[in-house]
Amino acid sequence: MKNLRLYDFLPSGNGYKIRLLLTQIGMPFERIEVDITKGESRTAEFLGKNSNGKIPVLEVEPGKYLAESNAIMIYLSEGTEFLPYDPFFKAQVLQWLFFEQYSHEPYIATPRFWISILNKAQEYREVIEQKREPGYVALRVMEKHLSNHAYFVGERYTIADISLFAYTHVADEGGFDLTQFPAIQDWIERVKAQPAYISITEELKH
Amino acid sequence: MKNLRLYDFLPSGNGYKIRLLLTQIGMPFERIEVDITKGESRTAEFLGKNSNGKIPVLEVEPGKYLAESNAIMIYLSEGTEFLPYDPFFKAQVLQWLFFEQYSHEPYIATPRFWISILNKAQEYREVIEQKREPGYVALRVMEKHLSNHAYFVGERYTIADISLFAYTHVADEGGFDLTQFPAIQDWIERVKAQPAYISITEELKH
């Protein structure tokens, strides 16, 4: 796997998952900024890479593209310490990845996008309000699990943690109050203490 | 893998994915009906199986539970003809599974639930209306792909097809007009022609 090229948007949590994992695996890659606030993921050229018009997209070799952050993470982490080999543990990782995309990201990530990236909190206030309670439901599911587990699966750091960390640790930028979730807060600190950790908007030197 | 037990709700497309796959693999299982319209997936007992309170849940052995339909499908199909062995093809299957849960199911499945299962089209008409356009966006992404592919990945039937078929083939029950998508309609017929196919509400004899 050489010449990996990541089509990415720096403030994106979904893009950050891939940046963080590649950095922790120690795999070099080229990052190409796609400003989704300027429609750059909806051009005909970009739609040729991902017909769903979303970043991140990983070009695994020239002309071979892969979309969906969690699918990319599974692809990259097979055979590494970040994805368990045991079939049931691996399935539990997958379970949390689908939880993240279905029950967590749509409620936690989008208010942050409207409030802190687009700076349009007022314009989006109604839909932000609709997302508040399901977002807290997802955080309560995480808090309950982390109350007696150090990490999401197998008591070690995996891509399940990376996936859920990406938008949870910046949930306050979407108006969520994390102070009521002590187990989540402790887990955030454990993730930040991992080797080769980089922050969400840290520019990479490659 | 013996004594598989599936906590399921017969009209559910997410439950159907597992029933269809297990039947096509030829793996026996016990189905336990959980009526989600009566709150049976939110009891303390059920939350002990899946803290997110959703079906399907697969009990892979007594006391070991797995949630999230697409995660369960990956777990069950590893090593079978329904999940490619080639890493890039496999990653493309995963890509479509995450597309299904993020960009498709929330828009295609929920109107069907409100209109045809709860029979509350009037009560939910506003949110049904909000989901119409993103639902058609997802169908257009599928139509474009199927215009020059027989199946979603590798020109053969995989769990990517099962996942997207589950709610697409009954999208009309949620008010979507599939007549404008000829490639999707042809693909639906190809899926229905697969060996050991069962329909979504077909009661199984085990």
Side-chain angles (χ1 to χ4, degrees):
Chain A
M1 284 204 258
K2 282 181 180 176
N3 304 318
L4 286 179
R5 185 176 283 174
L6 180 65
Y7 296 86
D8 188 16
F9 176 58
L10 196 61
S12 164
N14 286 322
Y16 174 51
K17 295 172 191 173
I18 315 303
R19 272 174 262 145
L20 178 55
L21 175 63
L22 283 171
T23 303
Q24 294 188 313
I25 290 178
M27 202 180 279
F29 63 100
E30 178 187 359
R31 210 180 70 79
I32 294 171
E33 185 75 357
V34 177
D35 190 339
I36 63 173
T37 69
K38 291 178 181 158
E40 291 179 6
S41 61
R42 307 286 169 149
T43 63
E45 195 198 341
F46 191 85
L47 290 171
K49 298 176 173 66
N50 178 11
S51 57
N52 202 27
K54 293 180 192 291
I55 61 93
V57 170
L58 186 71
E59 191 171 3
V60 300
E61 51 187 78
K64 273 177 89 174
Y65 301 100
L66 204 55
E68 299 291 337
S69 60
N70 289 345
I72 296 169
M73 281 209 297
I74 297 166
Y75 174 76
L76 291 170
S77 64
E78 290 265 14
T80 75
E81 66 191 288
F82 302 99
L83 183 62
Y85 181 77
D86 173 84
F88 188 70
F89 280 161
K90 183 175 171 180
Q92 287 184 316
V93 168
L94 299 174
Q95 174 186 311
W96 284 111
L97 296 185
F98 283 103
F99 166 83
E100 192 265 346
Q101 284 288 287
Y102 193 87
S103 298
H104 179 284
E105 203 263 25
Y107 308 109
I108 308 280
T110 47
R112 170 177 173 264
F113 185 72
W114 295 320
I115 294 170
S116 295
I117 296 173
L118 295 185
N119 293 307
K120 291 184 176 174
Q122 191 55 25
E123 184 179 333
Y124 285 91
R125 72 183 183 288
E126 216 172 299
V127 58
I128 289 168
E129 204 38 60
Q130 287 171 10
K131 285 175 182 283
R132 197 59 75 208
E133 181 49 25
Y136 277 118
V137 168
L139 292 171
R140 285 195 289 269
V141 169
M142 292 174 65
E143 178 72 12
K144 191 181 164 200
H145 188 82
L146 292 169
S147 296
N148 44 29
H149 297 285
Y151 298 101
F152 277 94
V153 179
E155 300 303 325
R156 35 176 279 221
Y157 178 71
T158 69
I159 57 171
D161 300 289
I162 295 180
S163 182
L164 283 162
F165 177 79
Y167 286 107
T168 302
H169 85 293
V170 289
D172 61 314
E173 297 176 14
F176 287 94
D177 172 21
L178 288 179
T179 62
Q180 53 188 297
F181 301 105
I184 291 179
Q185 290 187 301
D186 288 351
W187 164 79
I188 286 173
E189 292 313 311
R190 281 193 292 278
V191 173
K192 287 183 174 175
Q194 294 294 315
Y197 173 82
I198 55 167
S199 74
I200 184 163
T201 52
E202 197 165 329
E203 279 287 2
L204 305 167
K205 297 161 198 82
H206 282 294
Chain B
M1 285 204 258
K2 282 181 184 178
N3 304 319
L4 287 178
R5 186 175 282 178
L6 180 65
Y7 295 86
D8 189 15
F9 176 58
L10 195 62
S12 163
N14 286 322
Y16 174 50
K17 294 173 191 172
I18 314 303
R19 272 175 261 147
L20 177 55
L21 176 62
L22 283 171
T23 303
Q24 294 188 313
I25 291 178
M27 202 180 279
F29 63 100
E30 179 187 359
R31 211 180 70 77
I32 294 170
E33 186 75 357
V34 178
D35 190 340
I36 63 174
T37 69
K38 292 179 181 155
E40 292 179 6
S41 61
R42 307 286 168 151
T43 63
E45 195 197 342
F46 192 85
L47 290 171
K49 298 176 172 66
N50 177 11
S51 58
N52 201 27
K54 293 179 192 292
I55 59 92
V57 169
L58 186 71
E59 191 171 1
V60 300
E61 50 186 79
K64 273 176 89 173
Y65 301 99
L66 204 54
E68 298 291 337
S69 60
N70 289 346
I72 296 170
M73 282 209 296
I74 298 166
Y75 173 75
L76 291 171
S77 66
E78 290 265 16
T80 76
E81 64 191 291
F82 302 98
L83 183 63
Y85 181 77
D86 173 84
F88 188 69
F89 279 159
K90 184 176 172 179
Q92 288 184 316
V93 169
L94 300 174
Q95 175 186 311
W96 285 111
L97 295 184
F98 283 104
F99 166 82
E100 192 265 346
Q101 283 289 288
Y102 193 85
S103 299
H104 181 283
E105 203 264 24
Y107 308 109
I108 308 280
T110 45
R112 172 178 173 264
F113 185 72
W114 295 319
I115 294 169
S116 296
I117 295 172
L118 295 186
N119 293 307
K120 292 185 176 175
Q122 192 55 25
E123 183 178 334
Y124 286 91
R125 72 184 183 287
E126 216 173 298
V127 59
I128 290 169
E129 203 40 59
Q130 287 172 10
K131 286 175 181 282
R132 198 59 77 205
E133 181 48 25
Y136 277 118
V137 168
L139 292 172
R140 284 195 289 271
V141 169
M142 291 174 66
E143 178 73 10
K144 191 180 165 201
H145 187 81
L146 292 169
S147 298
N148 44 31
H149 297 286
Y151 297 102
F152 278 94
V153 179
E155 300 304 325
R156 36 175 277 221
Y157 178 72
T158 68
I159 57 171
D161 299 289
I162 295 179
S163 182
L164 284 161
F165 177 79
Y167 286 107
T168 302
H169 85 293
V170 289
D172 61 315
E173 297 175 13
F176 287 93
D177 173 20
L178 289 179
T179 62
Q180 55 188 294
F181 301 104
I184 290 178
Q185 289 187 299
D186 289 350
W187 165 80
I188 286 174
E189 292 312 309
R190 281 192 292 278
V191 173
K192 287 184 175 175
Q194 294 295 315
Y197 173 80
I198 55 167
S199 74
I200 184 164
T201 51
E202 198 166 329
E203 279 288 1
L204 304 166
K205 297 161 198 81
H206 282 293

